């Protein structure tokens, strides 16, 4: 019997890419490939790239070059680029980076096994030719679902799957294979984006917004619960638009209680929310539904009205603060995070001061600050009133220092609070770490528990915050919380 071909998936970028990698893993394993963790042990290394900003693109290129080095002294025979950077640049990336043996776009995902076998056997597969994916679906959201079957939508999975792709969970199991044993997993709620922010190129290579059907989201979440997942994080480019192409813009409000009712799932988290699309009913569900984290990942980007209009966005400092007041009136311990761009073309000193006013008043748990840089193909790249690079760097440094100080202060405000911590790592030397409801994976800090007795990865424990370490919390498990956690899991 011939030896099975081995493949390693190297994932960069956001949680949406992680879901896409697990779809690719599901397809490959179903077709007989053996998945390995280390690229050095694989016949082919598949690098799932990020194409969002310059730093992420550089990381993707570095990962491809690092994997290519393995061909000189390891088992690896081929390195293949997939993901957003490969989709966005295609042939251009292949020409600029000959070390990559293949550059595959989203349209290649359904046939990923055949593509890799061709590349490994020395055959030639034409590099992906980029196109504006916004043009692949009808302009009207209501007409998109009927056309979606003919368009590659990574992370969605087809309606009918071959037997054995994944353990059955409901009428349809997801085309997915988990790549780690984390008690947290992301689930794609939708793909693409209909917003036209002047600084963002994502819609051009991710396409127009299209929702997954609630039944698919529920079945995949049930399957993940069977794999031991305790927390589901719903991801897309814009979760607040979920359902608009299915005829119900309030569909998320009805889906969340159903997800919370899945046996084994202890927490549901919703990411990627647009402030301009927040509505009272969604705020109510996010702040009052058991097992749904009162967590608000709000994409503010700035708060000065002039800058927001140039970004093709809406709102201002006072309206944003009013939104946060509404949220906290319903859930005082709600977690809020956001990202901001400084140095945007035309940003004045007064605009920067307005952003400072917002940040100081907002009491955010996590803040990401980025300096503006041109993204090719975006409207902002054509603007004339660009700031000097040294001015952008200075403003970035200043606002980053302020953000670090403010999130530390916000963490200190939580001392004395009771938090529910999902345990994610237990180590005799490093200690026991997890995350509270206001902390998303990778981005928002973590909780160090002062005692690890009786704890294991995947356990939910109630604890009292007794200290802070920057944005991180130190918490003491409460007496009886372990028994309560065990009872809740039955």
């Amino acid at each position: 019997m011939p030896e099975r071909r081995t493949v390693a998936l190297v994932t960069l970028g956001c949680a949406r890419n992680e879901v896409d990698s697990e779809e690719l893993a599901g397809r490959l394993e179903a077709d007989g490939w053996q998945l390995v963790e280390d690229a050095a042990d694989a016949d082919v290394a598949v690098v799932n790239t990020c194409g969002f900003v310059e730093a992420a693109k550089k990381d993707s290129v570095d990962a491809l070059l690092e994997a290519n080095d393995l061909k000189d002294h390891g088992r690896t025979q081929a390195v293949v680029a997939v993901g957003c950077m490969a989709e966005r640049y295609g042939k251009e990336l292949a020409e600029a980076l000959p070390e990559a043996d293949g550059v595959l776009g989203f349209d290649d995902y359904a046939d990923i096994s055949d593509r890799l076998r061709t590349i490994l056997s020395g055959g030639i597969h034409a590099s992906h030719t980029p196109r504006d994916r916004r043009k692949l679906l009808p302009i009207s959201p209501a007409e998109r679902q009927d056309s979606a079957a003919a368009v590659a939508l990574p992370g969605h999975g087809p309606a009918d799957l071959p037997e054995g792709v994944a353990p059955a969970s409901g009428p349809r199991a997801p085309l997915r294979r988990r790549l780690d044993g984390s008690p947290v997993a992301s689930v794609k709620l939708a793909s693409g984006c209909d917003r036209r922010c002047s600084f963002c190129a994502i819609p051009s290579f991710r396409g127009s917004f299209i929702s997954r059907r609630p039944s698919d989201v529920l079945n995949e979440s049930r399957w993940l619960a069977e794999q031991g997942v305790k927390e589901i994080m719903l991801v897309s480019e814009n979760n607040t638009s979920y359902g608009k192409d299915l005829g119900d813009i309030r569909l998320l409000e009805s889906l969340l209680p159903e997800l919370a009712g899945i046996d084994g799932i202890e927490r549901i988290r919703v990411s990627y929310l647009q402030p301009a699309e927040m509505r009272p009913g969604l705020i109510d569900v996010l702040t009052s539904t058991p097992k749904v984290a009162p967590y608000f990942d709000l994409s503010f980007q700035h708060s000065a009205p002039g800058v927001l209009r140039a970004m093709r966005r809406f709102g201002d400092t006072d309206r944003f603060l009013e939104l946060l007041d509404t949220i906290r009136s319903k859930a005082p311990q709600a977690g809020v995070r956001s990202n901001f761009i400084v140095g945007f073309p035309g940003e004045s000193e007064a605009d920067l001061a307005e952003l400072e006013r917002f940040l100081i008043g907002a009491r955010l748990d996590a803040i990401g600050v980025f300096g503006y840089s041109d993204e090719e193909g975006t409207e902002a790249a054509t603007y004339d009133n660009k700031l000097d690079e040294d001015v952008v760097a200075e403003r970035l440094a200043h606002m980053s220092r302020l953000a670090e100080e403010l999130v530390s202060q916000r963490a200190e405000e939580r001392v004395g609070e009771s938090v529910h911590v999902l345990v994610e790592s237990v180590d005799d030397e490093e200690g026991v770490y997890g995350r509270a409801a206001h902390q998303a994976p990778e981005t928002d800090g973590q909780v160090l528990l002062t005692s690890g007795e009786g704890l294991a990865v995947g356990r939910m424990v109630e604890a009292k915050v007794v200290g802070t370490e920057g944005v991180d919390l130190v918490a003491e498990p409460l007496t009886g919380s372990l028994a309560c956690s065990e009872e809740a899991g039955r």
Side-chain angles (χ1 to χ4, degrees), residues 89-106:
Y89 296 105
K91 290 182 177 179
E92 182 182 341
L93 176 63
E95 293 170 359
L97 198 69
E99 291 85 355
D101 299 286
V103 176
L104 307 181
F106 297 151

Side-chain angles (χ1 to χ4, degrees), residues 98-121:
E99 291 85 355
D101 299 286
V103 176
L104 307 181
F106 297 151
D107 292 335
D108 291 305
Y109 282 22
D111 300 308
I112 186 67
S113 180
D114 288 342
R115 299 289 185 266
L116 297 188
R117 291 183 192 280
T118 296
I119 292 169
L120 274 178
S121 64

Side-chain angles (χ1 to χ4, degrees), residues 128 160 198 237 264 271 286 288 294 466-467:
H128 163 68
D160 298 310
S198 64
E237 280 74 19
S271 60
L286 288 170
S288 65
V466 295

Side-chain angles (χ1 to χ4, degrees), residues 40 45 107 138 152 156 179 248 282 300 416:
D107 292 335
H156 281 229
L179 293 174
D248 185 1
L282 180 56
F300 289 120

Side-chain angles (χ1 to χ4, degrees), residues 12 100 116 140 163 195 221 382 416 428 430-431 450 462:
L12 295 93
L116 297 188
S140 169
E163 185 177 353
R195 302 184 72 88
S221 299
T382 69
D428 292 338
E430 299 293 331
T450 58
E462 186 177 9

